[in-house]
Amino acid sequence: TVFGEGSQVRDFTYVIDIAEATIRAHYSTKPDGKILNVGTQIPTRIIDVANKVLDLIPESKSRIEFKPMVRGDPMGCVADTSLLKATLNWLPSINLDQGAGRYIEWTKTNKNLIPKWV
């Protein structure tokens, strides 16, 4: 389901990069109470993600269903990772294509872990 036309943008960050940032921050004294945004700084439209998922699963019979925009849904959101880079000298490295591919492969090999309602 895509709400509105899917032109909203988000900063999609792969979970392994988020975990690595968390561990790096934990073991470093440099963050010292700072709030570090973890992200790719790449704005990606929701409709582009929906189409990418369909492309990655050619055997799927799923189609994009459009519904009215949800009230209060922001049109754009991208992380400013300048403090992350300056503090930990590190940035996420897994791009959306890589992350989506890894996730799709994981779902295919771990079907028993996916709830029936998904």
Side-chain angles (χ1 to χ4, degrees), residues 5-107:
E5 297 173 3
S7 58
Q8 313 89 307
V9 296
R10 300 291 184 271
D11 185 338
F12 289 91
T13 309
Y14 195 62
V15 67
I16 288 175
D17 278 334
I18 294 170
E20 183 169 347
T22 303
I23 291 167
R24 285 174 177 264
H26 174 76
Y27 286 105
S28 174
T29 58
K30 293 179 183 177
D32 192 28
K34 295 178 181 133
I35 296 172
L36 305 176
N37 292 324
V38 181
T40 63
Q41 290 191 238
I42 300 170
T44 304
R45 296 181 324 148
I46 299 296
I47 189 65
D48 294 337
V49 174
N51 283 318
K52 183 176 298 299
V53 169
L54 291 179
D55 289 345
L56 288 170
I57 312 172
E59 66 275 10
S60 172
K61 296 194 182 347
S62 296
R63 297 292 170 250
I64 297 171
E65 178 183 344
F66 292 91
K67 290 193 175 178
M69 188 79 165
V70 175
R71 188 170 155 224
D73 187 8
M75 287 304 293
C77 181
V78 178
D80 175 356
T81 59
S82 55
L83 187 58
L84 176 72
K85 172 72 172 157
T87 305
L88 299 179
N89 194 30
W90 177 86
L91 288 172
S93 62
I94 300 170
N95 67 37
L96 181 62
D97 288 338
Q98 294 166 326
R102 289 180 186 188
Y103 178 70
I104 298 300
E105 283 306 309
W106 182 90
T107 62

